[in-house]
């Protein structure tokens, strides 16, 4: 029988309820995530992102290679700003919603706050945006992976719990890992589990990096989801959830996660909100459109620098010429 996690288990870092893994033990984390991925794919527990979503998101990533460089940047910046505004509005509707995640036969209730929304909105890519529009289904379908101690040793954080679900976007099945941190609320001493971040684990998966155009997935069969205990939500607080589609187990191009790095990524450069790195700071392969966009912006900035250097050189040459004439 599934029951809610008790305060004793919540505050006990050594409780057998948790599958504790050292923060730096990426090998064990990888093995658990890959095994979970394969088991969920084999059983058809995959969140399906419909073609309508990918087509809508794709409009924010137009192919502007034939457009002049000076004209591309403002267009792409506007498109990205509009997409982020739409995503923030959508995720704002999930804020405060309560989701129940199963941890070895126990229910951990977690909520989404502004902090989690801010974290997940960093470095938005095309596939990530498509996934974020179905975050409620991602939370519902997630399965427990493991727990780690806080990287910084914060005494107010008991642990970080990680959950996982495969997600079908276009013709590929990717993995999404969810980070939930356990704290005790200082105001009343109650348990507080926060959905801190969730992102596509694509960096070292089979099949490569971010894709550009999103193909239709009309071959997917849509069925009413069979929500496992780990995917239950509190109906009184959670927004309406659309069906999760079960996918044929024989689908090709499945990408199995092979890394288990932490949540907190290091600073990475980005141009106009788009970066060749994911939210954990891990590099992955750019798509054709992503490369074009990145090179476009880089070219604009390098062109500006070269122009300024040329102006400086001309001013220096004129100054030396005046000095020579004056000396004569």
């Amino acid at each position: 029988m599934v029951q809610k996690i008790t305060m004793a288990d919540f505050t006990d870092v050594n409780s057998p309820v948790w599958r504790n893994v050292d923060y730096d033990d990426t090998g064990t984390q990888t093995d658990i995530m890959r095994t979970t991925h394969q088991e969920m794919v084999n059983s058809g527990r995959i969140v399906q992102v419909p073609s309508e979503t990918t087509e809508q998101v794709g409009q924010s990533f137009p192919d502007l290679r034939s457009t002049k460089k000076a004209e591309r940047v403002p267009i792409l910046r506007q498109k990205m700003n509009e997409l982020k505004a739409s995503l923030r509005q959508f995720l704002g509707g999930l804020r405060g919603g309560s989701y129940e995640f199963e941890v070895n036969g126990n229910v951990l209730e977690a909520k989404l706050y502004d902090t989690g929304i801010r974290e997940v909105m960093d470095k938005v890519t095309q596939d990530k945006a498509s996934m974020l529009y179905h975050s409620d289904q991602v939370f519902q379908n997630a399965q427990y992976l493991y727990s780690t101690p806080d990287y910084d040793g914060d005494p107010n954080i008991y642990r970080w719990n990680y959950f996982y679900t495969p997600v079908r976007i276009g013709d590929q099945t990717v993995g999404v890992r969810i980070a939930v941190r356990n704290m005790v609320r200082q105001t009343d001493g109650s348990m507080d589990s926060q959905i801190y971040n969730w992102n596509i684990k694509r960096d070292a998966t089979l099949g490569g990096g971010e894709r550009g155009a999103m193909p239709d997935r009309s071959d997917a069969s849509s069925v009413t989801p069979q929500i496992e205990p780990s995917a239950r939500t509190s109906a009184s607080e959670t927004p309406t959830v659309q069906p999760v589609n079960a996918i044929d187990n024989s689908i090709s191009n499945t990408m199995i996660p092979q890394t288990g790095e932490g949540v907190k990524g290091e600073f990475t450069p980005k141009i106009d909100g788009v970066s060749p790195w994911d939210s954990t700071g891990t590099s992955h392969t750019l798509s054709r459109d992503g490369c074009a966009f990145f090179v476009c912006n880089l070219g604009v900035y390098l062109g500006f620098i070269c122009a300024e250097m040329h102006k400086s050189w001309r001013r220096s040459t004129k100054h030396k010429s005046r000095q020579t004439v004056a000396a004569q």
Side-chain angles (χ1 to χ4, degrees), residues 147-186:
S147 300
T148 68
D150 181 60
Y151 177 77
D152 296 320
D154 188 338
N156 296 316
I157 300 177
Y158 287 104
R159 69 190 59 80
W160 289 85
N161 304 303
Y162 294 95
F163 300 85
Y164 182 89
T165 182
V167 177
R168 183 83 184 273
I169 305 176
D171 59 351
Q172 300 185 71
T173 299
V174 301
V176 175
R177 192 181 67 170
I178 307 162
V180 177
R181 62 180 178 182
N182 290 163
M183 307 176 69
V184 171
R185 212 176 274 120
Q186 299 297 318

Side-chain angles (χ1 to χ4, degrees), residues 1 3 12 33 40 78 87 113 128 133 157 162 167-168 211 213-214 216 242 244 246 268 278 281 295 301 316 318 323:
M1 179 179 179
Q3 61 181 2
D12 184 1
M33 188 156 52
M40 296 185 75
Q78 180 182 357
L87 281 169
Y113 298 103
K128 182 178 180 180
Y133 276 119
I157 300 177
Y162 294 95
V167 177
R168 183 83 184 273
R211 292 169 293 116
M214 301 291 190
D216 192 3
Q242 298 180 6
V244 178
T268 53
D278 64 16
V295 172
Y301 289 122
S316 176
K318 290 181 179 180
Q323 288 181 331

